[in-house]
Amino acid sequence: VGSVVFVGIGITLGVHLTQRAKNYIEQADVVFVAAADALVEKWVEGMNTDVRSLQVYYQEGVSRKVTYAQMQQAIMAEVKLGKNVCCALYGHPGVFALVSHKTIHQALIEGYHASMEPGISAEDCLYADLGIDPGTVGCAHFEASQFLFYKRVIDPTAYLILWQVGIVGDKSYKKLSTGHQHRELLVKLLSETYPLSHTLTLYEAPTLPVNKCRIEEVRLDELASAILNPATTIAIPPAQAFIENKEMTKLLSNLC
Ligand code: SAM
């Protein structure tokens, strides 16, 4: 029976890979790889004789929904041939990554072995590099476009992390980046909760160990003109202090 395992290779080349993920890559019959950098894919190619890049499915003008379905189909085709397939995705394979969850779901329904191994995600790097502990005041993560498309409840007393800001507002799922006007709408929405003078951090963890991370502070009213790359994640610190829940505090004080 064929199998599929999704492993994370982390963000920074060579230094984030777990021993277990490495074993899976080395022992698989077929390895599919999707990394943000061609050099990282080259590095994975050195670990197995049959490594296939998933980048070929990304085509200009093609909806990412189609691209992801094609990737899932290509992976499942090998599983159905009885192969032990490993998919090595950058970061954590299950964090802001649709193909892994959907493929595992399909494989399990169809009676194949399927699992996921965690990896170091951009989120993990962000906590380390920005010195943020999500436990201090809480921390919410949103995909930036989804954040615009739907009414979400923003908690200004917690951290807010926005992913995929480089393509914020892309309804077509085809764009590789969106423009100033899309970003202005993000600023408009955020300004309903945060003052325009509020400082946000634009964060990019390094893909290569020789590079430094990008930690750039901008005011909310500067965000639309800032450089937002495919790898940019925005961290927004709280703008308000906690408000005590007096009713709950009273109820708790009645307990022994
Ligand atoms: N699975 C990945 C992970 O675990 O980090 C996330 C993939 S998601 C499709 C792509 C988004 O992740 C980017 O738009 C950005 O928000 C974030 N991201 C990817 N690489 C990053 C990096 N080097 N530094 C900061 N954020 C990054």
Side-chain angles (χ1 to χ4, degrees):
V1 185
S3 69
V4 61
V5 59
F6 281 82
V7 303
I9 52 178
I11 297 291
T12 309
L13 188 149
V15 294
H16 287 171
L17 188 69
T18 65
Q19 187 60 49
R20 189 181 278 194
K22 186 167 180 277
N23 292 346
Y24 274 122
I25 294 171
E26 286 173 349
Q27 288 160 21
D29 298 322
V30 183
V31 177
F32 288 96
V33 63
D37 191 300
L39 260 182
V40 177
E41 295 207 347
K42 274 261 165 276
W43 166 64
V44 174
E45 278 171 23
M47 292 185 225
N48 189 299
T49 51
D50 189 351
V51 177
R52 308 174 192 181
S53 175
L54 288 169
Q55 299 301 342
V56 289
Y57 296 101
Y58 286 107
Q59 303 278 346
E60 180 79 47
V62 173
S63 163
R64 283 188 295 285
K65 289 181 181 174
V66 173
T67 302
Y68 296 153
Q70 288 173 339
M71 289 178 176
Q72 185 176 340
Q73 210 172 12
I75 296 162
M76 283 307 298
E78 296 301 321
V79 175
K80 287 175 186 179
L81 288 174
K83 305 230 179 112
N84 292 318
V85 179
C86 176
C87 298
L89 307 187
Y90 78 98
H92 184 305
V95 172
F96 288 83
L98 208 67
V99 175
S100 52
H101 290 290
K102 288 189 90 166
T103 308
I104 288 173
H105 185 70
Q106 182 189 352
L108 290 175
I109 284 178
E110 294 181 11
Y112 300 102
H113 297 293
S115 59
M116 183 185 288
E117 282 299 320
I120 294 182
S121 76
E123 176 182 359
D124 301 303
C125 302
L126 180 146
Y127 294 147
D129 289 330
L130 301 189
I132 292 175
D133 179 346
T136 52
V137 292
C139 186
H141 291 256
F142 293 97
E143 199 280 327
S145 295
Q146 188 192 67
F147 187 73
L148 286 191
F149 299 157
Y150 305 98
K151 288 186 182 276
R152 312 304 301 258
V153 179
I154 309 174
D155 179 353
T157 69
Y159 283 99
L160 177 70
I161 313 292
L162 294 178
W163 296 63
Q164 303 204 139
V165 286
I167 47 171
V168 67
D170 173 28
K171 270 260 181 203
S172 70
Y173 296 95
K174 290 180 182 171
K175 295 201 165 90
L176 299 178
S177 73
T178 49
H180 195 267
Q181 288 175 323
H182 293 82
R183 290 162 193 187
E184 274 181 342
L185 290 180
L186 176 63
V187 172
K188 179 178 170 358
L189 182 66
L190 288 170
S191 67
E192 291 170 9
T193 305
Y194 302 94
L196 283 168
S197 58
H198 197 57
T199 302
L200 332 175
T201 303
L202 309 181
Y203 174 70
E204 287 167 25
T207 309
L208 304 179
V210 288
N211 294 339
K212 288 207 174 88
C213 54
R214 174 184 181 206
I215 300 177
E216 188 182 335
E217 295 197 333
V218 296
R219 288 162 46 110
L220 179 54
D221 58 7
E222 296 168 335
L223 180 61
S225 311
I227 295 170
L228 300 180
N229 297 311
T232 310
T233 299
I234 298 182
I236 307 177
Q240 290 175 27
F242 286 145
I243 300 164
E244 190 189 354
N245 186 338
K246 292 202 171 121
E247 192 190 333
M248 197 47 75
T249 310
K250 196 167 157 217
L251 289 172
L252 283 167
S253 67
N254 294 338
L255 302 178
C256 49

